[in-house]
Amino acid sequence: MEESPHTGNAAEPQQKSSAFAGLSTPIYGLFALGILYTLYVAHQIVLPIVLAVLASLFLSPFVHRAYLKFRIPKAVSSLFLVLLVLAGIVGVGAAVTTPALEWAQKAPQGISRLLVGDSQIKRQIDKVNRSAEQVEKSVEGLSDSGQEKPKTVVLATDSWRSQMVSKVRDGVAGLALALALTYFLLVSGDRLIRNFARQLPNPQRRTVLRITYYSQVEIAQYLAVLGVSNTSVGVLTALICWA
């Protein structure tokens, strides 16, 4: 009995769909890895945006309260809060910079005392040096027997000071971008949400606005509790170390 052509054509799409179903999981995995790699490459732009969104969610209730109770324009209150955050960051940086620089200056001396003194680390380093000298002598013996002497390759690397300066420069640029985006979101964030909600039907518009408002309040409360707890732990740790 001959097989009808319709039966063969119906079986081919089923086989193709089963083959693609088996490849769906690896494709999703590659897609996720691609997203993670893109975020890693673009972290200098993505990280300030994330920080700006979190900071705007944390500060937006204060801006709303100042506008409703005292009729302070959002541009003025947002600018004041952003400058307050900047002053706090500059104050913490100024308090931490001096001890960090002193530690960086004393670190080479401490490391040299650790290595020069009679310790287990020095004995291990001496053992490695003796092994390296034996390997060098054996290589020199081979080169004297007629073989070509290996060439020494020296790699030029940046010092830790230049690397630190570049990191600080990137951090300052990211902080400036985050503060600028925070100010923009505090001033015009509600307007953007309302413009988006106008594109929806009336019942859905109210639901979206209500969900957005309660989400901002809950996230702001969560960030406030998290900030207070982390600050308390940091202050207690600093007092214990100082004592």
Side-chain angles (χ1 to χ4, degrees):
M1 183 176 182
E2 296 182 356
E3 184 180 359
S4 62
H6 299 286
T7 304
N9 293 331
E12 290 179 358
Q14 294 179 357
Q15 294 177 357
K16 291 181 179 180
S17 62
S18 62
F20 284 119
L23 292 174
S24 60
T25 301
I27 289 175
Y28 290 151
L30 292 175
F31 181 71
L33 291 176
I35 291 176
L36 293 176
Y37 180 76
T38 304
L39 292 176
Y40 173 75
V41 172
H43 69 279
Q44 294 183 355
I45 299 176
V46 175
L47 185 58
I49 294 175
V50 173
L51 292 177
V53 171
L54 293 177
S56 64
L57 290 174
F58 176 70
L59 299 174
S60 59
F62 300 100
V63 175
H64 288 294
R65 191 170 300 173
Y67 179 75
L68 293 176
K69 289 187 176 182
F70 305 102
R71 292 299 176 182
I72 300 176
K74 292 184 178 181
V76 177
S77 59
S78 300
L79 181 61
F80 175 75
L81 290 175
V82 169
L83 291 178
L84 186 63
V85 171
L86 180 60
I89 294 174
V90 171
V92 173
V96 173
T97 301
T98 302
L101 291 177
E102 292 179 356
W103 177 84
Q105 292 177 357
K106 295 179 180 178
Q109 299 177 0
I111 294 174
S112 63
R113 286 197 301 268
L114 179 65
L115 296 179
V116 171
D118 189 12
S119 61
Q120 183 67 24
I121 298 176
K122 184 178 181 299
R123 287 193 292 270
Q124 294 295 332
I125 293 176
D126 292 338
K127 186 184 296 185
V128 172
N129 290 332
R130 287 194 297 269
S131 300
E133 290 176 357
Q134 293 177 1
V135 172
E136 185 178 357
K137 290 179 181 179
S138 62
V139 171
E140 289 179 355
L142 292 175
S143 62
D144 294 337
S145 62
Q147 296 182 359
E148 185 180 358
K149 188 175 181 179
K151 297 180 180 180
T152 303
V153 179
V154 179
L155 298 178
T157 58
D158 296 333
S159 62
W160 65 271
R161 290 185 178 87
S162 62
Q163 293 179 0
M164 185 176 66
V165 169
S166 64
K167 293 293 184 182
V168 170
R169 184 175 62 249
D170 295 339
V172 170
L175 178 62
L177 178 59
L179 292 176
L181 290 175
T182 301
Y183 178 76
F184 172 75
L185 291 175
L186 288 175
V187 174
S188 304
D190 293 337
R191 190 180 305 169
L192 293 175
I193 294 173
R194 286 196 298 269
N195 291 333
F196 173 74
R198 287 195 186 99
Q199 310 300 324
L200 301 174
N202 195 13
Q204 297 180 3
R205 184 186 310 171
R206 295 178 180 177
T207 303
V208 169
L209 292 176
R210 189 182 302 110
I211 291 173
T212 303
Y213 173 74
Y214 285 114
S215 298
Q216 289 178 350
V217 173
E218 294 295 331
I219 292 174
Q221 292 178 356
Y222 170 74
L223 292 176
V225 173
L226 187 64
V228 170
S229 62
N230 289 333
T231 304
S232 302
V233 172
V235 170
L236 290 176
T237 304
L239 291 176
I240 292 172
C241 293
W242 176 77

